[in-house]
Amino acid sequence: MIRAFNKMDKPLLILSIFMFIFGLFMILDASSMKSFLNTGENTKYFFRQLIFLVSALVMAIIIIRKPLKKYNKLIFLIAGVLILMLIFLLVAGTETSAGVKSWIYIGPFGLQPSEFAKVALILFTGVYYQMNQKRLDNPVVALTPLVLGAIFTILTLLQPDGGTGLILFFISAILFYSSNVSKEIKVKTTFAGLVVVVIILLILLVTGGSALTGMQKSRFNYKKPCTRYQEDTGYQVCNGYIAINNGKLFSIEPGNSKQKYLYLPEAYTDFIFPIVVEDMGLITGIVVILIYMIIIIRIFMIGLRSYNIVNRTICYGVASYILLHVVVNLTGVLGLVPLTGVPLPFLSYGGSFALTLAIGLALVQRVSIENYNFLQKKVLK
């Protein structure tokens, strides 16, 4: 493991560990009141997240030590199992109070298959295109990862989980258009996709139907949230504004947030950024965003230095995955787009999300190791 450590991207590793630890203690702060009301103690969510992070560390170490070629056959099995799990949720899944079937429960813990589908989609695309790199002018070969992305997206949207479905769709599209697939196939696919969208919209218009649930429709009423403070469409975002406004320019006062006292119902999940600003100041919030940018750029640069398709695809996919989560979460929290419930990387509470994020980062570090080994062999020759 020491040899592997020497070949890893150190800035990415240090920033990732720092953000996971910082996020863990922000979860302790933001969830303390909710935890106390539910269990009589204020550390329930902290320790649950800690368990997932320890599990994530173990998985990351295993992945970092495992050559990427070992996934050539395994990823097909993983993709198949995830499809079956997503179908199972639709048929026999436990419905939450919000009417969503997204979690498979193992004792007190819940796993969200759609979260694991994001990393599986990235790895599948890389492995598949690597195995078929000489046949990327064949439409069937070129579109196979896109079809898998569509299956994952549709099954997730049917739960219904619009935010996760949206992320899956964009990851699939980004990987397809950044691949070595011929331009002709990309153009034809784009045209066909637009035709399908137009047909679906026309059918919905003629029948008077809708692809959105009532709750999802209400989220499009997102502008000027504080004028609807007593309504569901404005209450949470407006309280997020209040939390950010309460934060000083720079302040290290963890635990002093007022909005976590149930003004923000899910302060420790998708609305944790306003708590960070309220507790730690606006400067800290800006630093967090800058760290996200550095992490994404480091991953992208590792991808640029990669010598094969699978390594490059993994890096571009994980960078896109983190970027999409940051953009969708923060724009929703700031009232610039409708809320989707998408968690913020490293900071938001959520075991499945923490595990998949750690897996993605471990795969990137494995790419860094293999890039290093390849360059060493090249130098020796």
Side-chain angles (χ1 to χ4, degrees):
M1 191 63 192
I2 294 175
R3 287 183 180 180
F5 175 78
N6 293 331
K7 301 172 186 178
M8 292 165 65
D9 187 286
K10 306 301 189 303
L12 176 60
L13 178 64
I14 292 168
L15 289 175
S16 299
I17 293 172
F18 168 78
M19 287 293 283
F20 273 125
I21 294 173
F22 178 68
L24 181 63
F25 284 98
M26 288 309 305
I27 289 168
L28 172 62
D29 177 25
S31 68
S32 58
M33 179 53 64
K34 181 76 173 284
S35 177
F36 181 78
L37 289 176
N38 288 344
T39 66
E41 56 183 42
N42 59 8
T43 56
K44 174 187 174 182
Y45 297 106
F46 169 82
F47 282 113
R48 284 169 68 96
Q49 188 74 0
L50 179 60
I51 291 170
F52 276 108
L53 288 182
V54 171
S55 302
L57 176 62
V58 173
M59 291 181 68
I61 292 172
I62 293 170
I63 290 168
I64 287 170
R65 294 171 61 88
K66 190 180 182 70
L68 291 173
K69 63 182 180 181
K70 297 288 186 179
Y71 296 103
N72 286 359
K73 294 180 180 179
L74 184 61
I75 188 57
F76 292 91
L77 174 64
I78 293 171
V81 169
L82 283 170
I83 290 172
L84 292 176
M85 291 173 74
L86 289 170
I87 292 172
F88 169 80
L89 282 173
L90 296 178
V91 175
T94 303
E95 190 171 303
T96 67
S97 57
V100 177
K101 296 180 179 180
S102 294
W103 285 269
I104 292 176
Y105 292 95
I106 303 172
F109 296 99
L111 291 177
Q112 193 174 356
S114 56
E115 285 294 340
F116 293 95
K118 296 171 187 174
V119 176
L121 176 60
I122 293 168
L123 187 56
F124 178 92
T125 302
V127 169
Y128 188 82
Y129 281 155
Q130 179 70 35
M131 293 173 64
N132 297 278
Q133 56 184 309
K134 295 182 179 179
R135 301 172 57 210
L136 294 182
D137 56 345
N138 182 318
V140 175
V141 172
L143 296 177
T144 296
L146 207 58
V147 171
L148 177 65
I151 293 171
F152 281 154
T153 300
I154 291 169
L155 291 175
T156 301
L157 290 174
L158 291 174
Q159 291 180 355
D161 185 350
T164 304
L166 184 71
I167 300 291
L168 281 164
F169 170 80
F170 278 112
I171 288 174
S172 183
I174 289 169
L175 293 180
F176 174 72
Y177 286 107
S178 65
S179 71
N180 293 336
V181 171
S182 69
K183 290 183 179 179
E184 182 183 359
I185 292 177
K186 289 178 181 177
V187 171
K188 289 181 178 179
T189 302
T190 303
F191 179 75
L194 291 173
V195 170
V196 170
V197 170
V198 170
I199 291 172
I200 292 173
L201 290 175
L202 287 174
I203 292 173
L204 292 175
L205 184 65
V206 171
T207 60
S210 175
L212 303 175
T213 65
M215 180 179 291
Q216 289 172 331
K217 287 179 184 177
S218 70
R219 289 181 174 180
F220 281 89
N221 184 21
Y222 61 92
K223 295 182 178 180
K224 299 181 180 179
C226 291
T227 62
R228 303 183 307 281
Y229 183 80
Q230 295 183 336
E231 302 174 21
D232 290 340
T233 59
Y235 179 81
Q236 196 162 6
V237 177
C238 185
N239 275 296
Y241 285 177
I242 294 170
I244 293 171
N245 185 66
N246 287 343
K248 300 175 184 177
L249 184 63
F250 184 76
S251 174
I252 305 295
E253 298 179 355
N256 288 335
S257 167
K258 297 177 182 177
Q259 296 306 107
K260 71 181 179 185
Y261 291 105
L262 306 186
Y263 291 105
L264 275 173
E266 303 298 331
Y268 54 98
T269 57
D270 49 320
F271 266 80
I272 198 164
F273 186 75
I275 302 299
V276 171
V277 175
E278 187 178 21
D279 267 357
M280 313 289 280
L282 180 61
I283 298 297
T284 302
I286 294 172
V287 169
V288 166
I289 294 173
L290 289 175
I291 291 174
Y292 282 133
M293 292 175 62
I294 295 170
I295 287 173
I296 292 166
I297 291 170
R298 294 297 304 184
I299 296 172
F300 183 74
M301 293 302 294
I302 294 171
L304 286 179
R305 294 194 297 267
S306 296
Y307 62 95
N308 62 19
I309 293 174
V310 64
N311 289 15
R312 186 167 60 249
T313 302
I314 287 171
C315 291
Y316 292 170
V318 174
S320 301
Y321 165 50
I322 296 173
L323 177 62
L324 287 166
H325 268 273
V326 172
V327 170
V328 173
N329 177 278
L330 293 184
T331 52
V333 166
L334 297 175
L336 301 176
V337 300
L339 280 175
T340 58
V342 168
L344 191 61
F346 302 103
L347 304 185
S348 291
Y349 173 81
S352 297
F353 183 56
L355 285 170
T356 52
L357 180 58
I359 290 170
L361 291 167
L363 286 170
V364 171
Q365 291 291 4
R366 182 64 212 180
V367 170
S368 180
I369 293 168
E370 296 194 3
N371 286 348
Y372 182 92
N373 291 337
F374 179 78
L375 288 174
Q376 287 295 102
K377 289 179 182 177
K378 218 173 175 186
V379 170
L380 291 174
K381 287 182 180 179

